[in-house]
Amino acid sequence: MRAVLEAYRRAFASQFTGRMLLLSVTPFLLSVTVWALLLYLGFQPLLDAVQTVFAERGGYATSAGLLSTFGLGMLKAVAVPLLSMLLLLPLMILTALLFMGVAAMPALGRHVAARMASRLGPLEAKAGGSLLGSLATGAVALLIFVVLWLCSVPLYLLPPVALVAQVMLWGWLTARVMSYDALAGFASADERRQLLHRHRRSLLAIGALSGVAGALPGLVWIGGALISVLLFPLLATLSLWLYVVIFIFTGLWFQYYLLAALYALRAETAATMPATS
């Protein structure tokens, strides 16, 4: 935990530098542009489709009964837009993560490597990962995430359970995707496998702790339905910005932790080589 907390301290200090704040601008603007277009073209058709399914399958009566059971009967009027937003949320996470990975993650790696090189010496970049490997890892993880997210939608009837589910899903997703990206340019494939196996519990802990913050944009997103559908575009924009900022901080945290672990692994390997010889 000492290494996890030290990486957290360094990531927190780096997060609020001018360079990191500027780094969040590009993925944020890309995400906002894409979602402004998608919501303009597709949000009303999505509402109509969900409303049709509700009408044909008795969804209004079912949702009204369930909401009344939990004392939330006043929300039945926003059941359709609420469900539509819940279906869109995984896609919003996907685009924010994709743009952050493409536009910001390489710069995060260079920033952290330069900071650590000033203390520990230069780190040889063995580049055991690739852009294709990163995309494949991200695609598989995001596909699993979306399926699990859709399965967890009914849990929103029990907000505490839904919050725990979000934290767990966020933690797993970030640990899976960002661990690969953090090491792709620096560790060999064998080093990456060793580090991910050796530090899997710490990486999941970082992901879970980040998941607590990662649940906040989702709550803001859903707030668009609970407060007023008219406020939804503003709250959706705020959610996207929060996701980008949290992704950058999480990326810094994973980067600091894993590069420190890589330094330690190479020092350990170098120390054992003479003895082996």
Side-chain angles (χ1 to χ4, degrees), residues 91 166 174:
L91 300 178
Q166 276 199 51
T174 52

Side-chain angles (χ1 to χ4, degrees), residues 14-23:
S14 295
Q15 173 76 33
F16 297 103
T17 61
R19 179 180 175 81
M20 291 301 107
L21 292 176
L22 286 174
L23 203 58

Side-chain angles (χ1 to χ4, degrees), residues 92-115:
M92 184 179 70
I93 296 173
L94 185 152
T95 53
L97 181 59
L98 175 63
F99 289 134
M100 201 286 296
V102 171
M105 202 64 186
L108 292 182
R110 292 191 296 270
H111 171 82
V112 173
R115 289 290 185 91

Side-chain angles (χ1 to χ4, degrees), residues 98 101-102 130-142 177 180-181:
L98 175 63
V102 171
S130 64
L131 178 60
L132 183 59
S134 177
L135 292 175
T137 300
V140 172
L142 287 168
V177 174
Y180 184 96
D181 289 341

Side-chain angles (χ1 to χ4, degrees), residues 4 23 43-45 49 62 77 86-88 107 119 135 144 170 176 181 187 194-195 205 214 223 245 252 255 266:
V4 170
L23 203 58
F43 189 59
Q44 189 58 51
T62 302
L86 285 173
L87 294 174
L88 288 173
R119 297 184 299 109
L135 292 175
I144 296 172
W170 177 277
R176 179 88 172 184
D181 289 341
Q194 289 186 62
L195 290 172
V245 171
L252 285 167
Q255 198 79 58
R266 289 184 180 175

Side-chain angles (χ1 to χ4, degrees), residues 46-225:
L46 177 62
L47 287 177
D48 294 340
V50 173
Q51 191 168 2
T52 300
V53 172
F54 259 54
E56 293 177 350
R57 304 295 176 87
Y60 286 106
T62 302
S63 61
L66 288 173
L67 290 170
S68 298
T69 301
F70 294 98
L72 301 173
M74 67 284 193
L75 299 181
K76 62 183 179 182
V78 294
V80 170
L82 180 60
L83 179 58
S84 300
M85 293 174 195
L86 285 173
L87 294 174
L88 288 173
L89 185 56
L91 300 178
M92 184 179 70
I93 296 173
L94 185 152
T95 53
L97 181 59
L98 175 63
F99 289 134
M100 201 286 296
V102 171
M105 202 64 186
L108 292 182
R110 292 191 296 270
H111 171 82
V112 173
R115 289 290 185 91
M116 300 191 74
S118 65
R119 297 184 299 109
L120 303 173
L123 182 67
E124 181 186 355
K126 296 186 177 180
S130 64
L131 178 60
L132 183 59
S134 177
L135 292 175
T137 300
V140 172
L142 287 168
L143 179 61
I144 296 172
F145 175 85
V146 169
V147 172
L148 293 177
W149 182 275
L150 291 175
C151 293
S152 72
V153 168
L155 296 178
Y156 277 89
L157 293 172
L158 299 170
V161 179
L163 181 61
V164 172
Q166 276 199 51
V167 168
M168 293 175 64
L169 285 173
W170 177 277
W172 177 83
L173 178 67
T174 52
R176 179 88 172 184
V177 174
M178 292 195 173
S179 295
Y180 184 96
D181 289 341
L183 293 171
F186 300 96
S188 67
D190 184 59
E191 287 174 331
R192 185 180 68 250
R193 284 190 291 268
Q194 289 186 62
L195 290 172
L196 296 185
H197 176 74
R198 181 181 297 185
H199 298 277
R200 60 187 182 279
R201 292 181 180 177
S202 296
L203 296 173
L204 287 173
I206 293 174
L209 291 171
S210 301
V212 176
L216 296 178
L219 298 178
V220 173
W221 177 275
I222 301 307

Side-chain angles (χ1 to χ4, degrees), residues 25-37:
V25 172
T26 300
F28 170 68
L29 291 178
L30 288 172
S31 298
V32 167
T33 301
V34 168
W35 276 97
L37 181 62

